[in-house]
Amino acid sequence: MQSSVISSPPDDRETDADAVMRLFDACFLASHNTVLVRGDDEPVYLPADADCPRHRVVFAHGFCASALHEAAHWCIAGAARRRLPDYGYWYAPDGRNREQQRAFEQVEARPQALEWIFSKAAARRFRLSVDNLGGEATDPEPFRRAVWAALEAYCEKGLNARAERFRARLAAHFGGPQALRLEDFCRRELD
Protein backbone atom coordinates (compact mmCIF):
# COMPACT_ATOMS: atom_id res chain seq x y z
CA MET A 1 0.00 0.00 0.00
CA GLN A 2 1.27 3.45 -0.87
CA SER A 3 1.11 6.60 1.22
CA SER A 4 -1.21 9.41 0.31
CA VAL A 5 1.68 11.52 -0.92
CA ILE A 6 1.17 11.97 -4.62
CA SER A 7 4.23 11.68 -6.79
CA SER A 8 4.12 13.14 -10.26
CA PRO A 9 4.06 10.80 -13.23
CA PRO A 10 7.24 10.80 -15.32
CA ASP A 11 5.89 13.47 -17.69
CA ASP A 12 4.89 15.74 -14.77
CA ARG A 13 1.20 15.69 -15.76
CA GLU A 14 -1.26 14.89 -13.04
CA THR A 15 -3.48 11.93 -13.92
CA ASP A 16 -7.20 12.03 -13.16
CA ALA A 17 -6.68 9.50 -10.37
CA ASP A 18 -3.92 11.67 -8.88
CA ALA A 19 -6.23 14.70 -9.03
CA VAL A 20 -9.08 12.79 -7.38
CA MET A 21 -6.73 11.69 -4.59
CA ARG A 22 -5.47 15.24 -4.11
CA LEU A 23 -8.99 16.68 -4.07
CA PHE A 24 -10.27 14.04 -1.64
CA ASP A 25 -7.35 14.61 0.70
CA ALA A 26 -7.88 18.39 0.53
CA CYS A 27 -11.51 17.86 1.52
CA PHE A 28 -11.08 15.27 4.27
CA LEU A 29 -7.55 14.93 5.63
CA ALA A 30 -7.81 17.79 8.11
CA SER A 31 -11.48 17.32 9.00
CA HIS A 32 -11.69 13.50 9.08
CA ASN A 33 -8.05 12.30 9.16
CA THR A 34 -8.84 10.33 5.99
CA VAL A 35 -6.88 9.92 2.76
CA LEU A 36 -7.60 8.29 -0.59
CA VAL A 37 -4.84 5.84 -1.49
CA ARG A 38 -3.94 4.02 -4.71
CA GLY A 39 -3.83 0.29 -4.00
CA ASP A 40 -2.37 -2.65 -5.85
CA ASP A 41 -5.28 -5.06 -5.60
CA GLU A 42 -8.82 -5.10 -4.24
CA PRO A 43 -10.25 -1.89 -2.78
CA VAL A 44 -10.63 -1.70 0.99
CA TYR A 45 -11.30 0.79 3.76
CA LEU A 46 -8.81 0.71 6.63
CA PRO A 47 -9.41 2.78 9.76
CA ALA A 48 -6.41 4.30 11.54
CA ASP A 49 -4.52 1.82 13.68
CA ALA A 50 -1.19 1.34 15.43
CA ASP A 51 0.59 1.01 12.06
CA CYS A 52 -1.00 4.02 10.36
CA PRO A 53 -2.41 7.11 12.07
CA ARG A 54 -4.76 7.95 9.17
CA HIS A 55 -7.94 6.33 7.89
CA ARG A 56 -7.35 5.02 4.36
CA VAL A 57 -9.80 4.63 1.50
CA VAL A 58 -7.85 2.31 -0.79
CA PHE A 59 -8.92 2.09 -4.42
CA ALA A 60 -7.95 -0.54 -6.99
CA HIS A 61 -5.05 -0.46 -9.42
CA GLY A 62 -4.90 3.31 -9.83
CA PHE A 63 -8.23 3.39 -11.69
CA CYS A 64 -9.98 6.74 -11.44
CA ALA A 65 -13.42 5.05 -11.52
CA SER A 66 -12.39 2.92 -8.55
CA ALA A 67 -11.23 6.03 -6.68
CA LEU A 68 -14.61 7.70 -7.24
CA HIS A 69 -16.46 4.52 -6.27
CA GLU A 70 -14.53 4.02 -3.04
CA ALA A 71 -14.93 7.72 -2.20
CA ALA A 72 -18.69 7.21 -2.64
CA HIS A 73 -18.67 4.32 -0.14
CA TRP A 74 -16.79 6.49 2.36
CA CYS A 75 -19.15 9.43 1.89
CA ILE A 76 -22.14 7.18 2.62
CA ALA A 77 -20.66 5.41 5.65
CA GLY A 78 -21.62 6.83 9.02
CA ALA A 79 -19.20 7.53 11.85
CA ALA A 80 -19.61 4.09 13.46
CA ARG A 81 -19.05 2.28 10.15
CA ARG A 82 -15.92 4.37 9.49
CA ARG A 83 -14.34 2.86 12.62
CA LEU A 84 -14.56 -0.66 11.12
CA PRO A 85 -12.37 -2.29 8.44
CA ASP A 86 -14.31 -2.20 5.17
CA TYR A 87 -17.09 -0.44 7.12
CA GLY A 88 -18.01 -3.80 8.68
CA TYR A 89 -19.86 -4.93 5.56
CA TRP A 90 -20.11 -8.41 4.12
CA TYR A 91 -18.48 -8.83 0.75
CA ALA A 92 -18.27 -11.83 -1.55
CA PRO A 93 -15.79 -11.47 -4.41
CA ASP A 94 -16.44 -12.02 -8.12
CA GLY A 95 -17.95 -15.45 -8.69
CA ARG A 96 -21.13 -14.83 -6.67
CA ASN A 97 -24.20 -17.01 -7.09
CA ARG A 98 -27.59 -15.45 -7.87
CA GLU A 99 -28.54 -14.91 -4.21
CA GLN A 100 -25.16 -13.39 -3.33
CA GLN A 101 -25.37 -11.13 -6.40
CA ARG A 102 -28.79 -9.80 -5.36
CA ALA A 103 -27.43 -9.08 -1.86
CA PHE A 104 -24.45 -7.29 -3.46
CA GLU A 105 -26.77 -5.20 -5.65
CA GLN A 106 -28.91 -4.19 -2.67
CA VAL A 107 -25.94 -2.58 -0.93
CA GLU A 108 -24.34 -1.24 -4.13
CA ALA A 109 -27.19 0.83 -5.60
CA ARG A 110 -26.58 3.92 -3.48
CA PRO A 111 -22.75 3.89 -3.79
CA GLN A 112 -22.98 3.42 -7.56
CA ALA A 113 -25.50 6.26 -7.85
CA LEU A 114 -23.14 8.47 -5.84
CA GLU A 115 -20.18 7.33 -7.97
CA TRP A 116 -22.22 8.39 -11.02
CA ILE A 117 -22.73 11.81 -9.45
CA PHE A 118 -19.00 12.09 -8.73
CA SER A 119 -18.18 10.90 -12.27
CA LYS A 120 -20.47 13.55 -13.77
CA ALA A 121 -18.84 16.23 -11.57
CA ALA A 122 -15.43 15.01 -12.75
CA ALA A 123 -16.59 15.12 -16.39
CA ARG A 124 -16.03 11.37 -16.71
CA ARG A 125 -18.19 8.63 -18.16
CA PHE A 126 -19.87 6.39 -15.58
CA ARG A 127 -20.13 2.65 -16.12
CA LEU A 128 -22.53 0.60 -14.05
CA SER A 129 -20.72 -2.38 -12.53
CA VAL A 130 -22.37 -5.64 -11.52
CA ASP A 131 -18.84 -6.75 -10.54
CA ASN A 132 -19.51 -10.46 -11.08
CA LEU A 133 -17.87 -11.52 -14.33
CA GLY A 134 -17.15 -15.05 -13.09
CA GLY A 135 -20.47 -15.63 -11.32
CA GLU A 136 -23.97 -16.67 -12.25
CA ALA A 137 -25.59 -14.53 -14.91
CA THR A 138 -28.43 -12.37 -13.58
CA ASP A 139 -30.75 -9.83 -15.16
CA PRO A 140 -29.06 -6.44 -14.66
CA GLU A 141 -32.28 -4.45 -15.16
CA PRO A 142 -33.43 -4.52 -11.50
CA PHE A 143 -30.00 -3.19 -10.49
CA ARG A 144 -30.18 -0.46 -13.14
CA ARG A 145 -33.59 0.57 -11.80
CA ALA A 146 -32.27 0.62 -8.22
CA VAL A 147 -29.27 2.80 -9.16
CA TRP A 148 -31.54 5.19 -11.09
CA ALA A 149 -33.95 5.38 -8.12
CA ALA A 150 -31.04 6.14 -5.78
CA LEU A 151 -29.83 8.85 -8.17
CA GLU A 152 -33.31 10.39 -8.28
CA ALA A 153 -33.45 10.40 -4.48
CA TYR A 154 -30.04 12.10 -4.22
CA CYS A 155 -31.09 14.75 -6.75
CA GLU A 156 -34.38 15.36 -4.95
CA LYS A 157 -33.13 15.33 -1.34
CA GLY A 158 -29.54 16.44 -1.85
CA LEU A 159 -26.29 14.87 -0.70
CA ASN A 160 -24.89 14.68 2.80
CA ALA A 161 -22.30 17.33 3.65
CA ARG A 162 -19.25 15.16 2.90
CA ALA A 163 -20.56 13.96 -0.46
CA GLU A 164 -21.61 17.46 -1.52
CA ARG A 165 -18.25 18.91 -0.51
CA PHE A 166 -16.39 16.35 -2.60
CA ARG A 167 -18.82 16.65 -5.54
CA ALA A 168 -18.41 20.42 -5.60
CA ARG A 169 -14.61 20.14 -5.43
CA LEU A 170 -14.59 17.66 -8.34
CA ALA A 171 -16.86 19.91 -10.42
CA ALA A 172 -14.72 22.98 -9.74
CA HIS A 173 -11.53 21.14 -10.74
CA PHE A 174 -12.76 19.10 -13.72
CA GLY A 175 -15.43 21.48 -15.06
CA GLY A 176 -18.43 19.24 -14.46
CA PRO A 177 -21.90 20.57 -13.61
CA GLN A 178 -21.74 23.01 -10.70
CA ALA A 179 -25.12 21.91 -9.30
CA LEU A 180 -26.66 18.48 -8.80
CA ARG A 181 -29.61 18.26 -11.18
CA LEU A 182 -31.39 15.16 -12.44
CA GLU A 183 -31.61 16.63 -15.96
CA ASP A 184 -27.81 16.27 -16.25
CA PHE A 185 -28.22 12.47 -16.13
CA CYS A 186 -29.69 10.08 -18.69
CA ARG A 187 -31.16 6.71 -17.75
CA ARG A 188 -29.71 5.21 -20.95
CA GLU A 189 -26.20 5.76 -19.54
CA LEU A 190 -26.83 2.73 -17.33
CA ASP A 191 -27.25 0.34 -20.31
Side-chain angles (χ1 to χ4, degrees):
M1 188 172 311
Q2 297 179 357
S3 74
S4 67
V5 176
I6 300 171
S7 58
S8 296
D11 63 4
D12 289 333
R13 289 184 307 168
E14 183 177 58
T15 68
D16 285 353
D18 290 331
V20 169
M21 288 171 28
R22 182 177 50 77
L23 296 170
F24 184 93
D25 293 359
C27 286
F28 305 117
L29 177 56
S31 63
H32 290 80
N33 192 36
T34 304
V35 293
L36 186 60
V37 180
R38 178 183 285 111
D40 295 327
D41 197 15
E42 290 295 316
V44 65
Y45 172 72
L46 301 167
D49 57 26
D51 294 328
C52 184
R54 293 186 174 135
H55 309 296
R56 291 141 295 159
V57 179
V58 181
F59 66 99
H61 307 291
F63 298 141
C64 188
S66 179
L68 296 172
H69 183 78
E70 296 312 314
H73 274 289
W74 183 84
C75 286
I76 290 171
R81 290 273 185 196
R82 293 192 313 269
R83 288 190 290 273
L84 303 171
D86 242 1
Y87 313 108
Y89 285 119
W90 159 90
Y91 178 76
D94 189 343
R96 293 181 288 276
N97 64 34
R98 189 176 310 270
E99 183 179 302
Q100 291 170 323
Q101 183 62 21
R102 289 293 173 229
F104 167 83
E105 290 174 1
Q106 285 179 343
V107 299
E108 275 293 305
R110 286 180 54 230
Q112 289 210 22
L114 188 53
E115 176 193 348
W116 192 3
I117 290 166
F118 290 163
S119 295
K120 186 71 70 174
R124 296 184 58 85
R125 181 169 182 246
F126 170 75
R127 288 185 175 89
L128 184 76
S129 175
V130 296
D131 192 32
N132 199 31
L133 300 174
E136 275 185 63
T138 58
D139 178 8
E141 188 54 33
F143 187 46
R144 288 183 188 123
R145 284 193 304 266
V147 170
W148 181 256
L151 176 76
E152 287 178 315
Y154 281 134
C155 289
E156 179 183 319
K157 297 174 185 171
L159 303 177
N160 69 39
R162 285 177 294 134
E164 177 54 30
R165 182 178 185 188
F166 188 52
R167 188 208 62 75
R169 186 71 63 105
L170 289 167
H173 179 81
F174 289 104
Q178 296 303 303
L180 176 58
R181 304 173 319 163
L182 186 60
E183 53 266 26
D184 289 329
F185 297 86
C186 177
R187 168 65 172 80
R188 289 187 313 271
E189 292 176 64
L190 295 176
D191 295 336

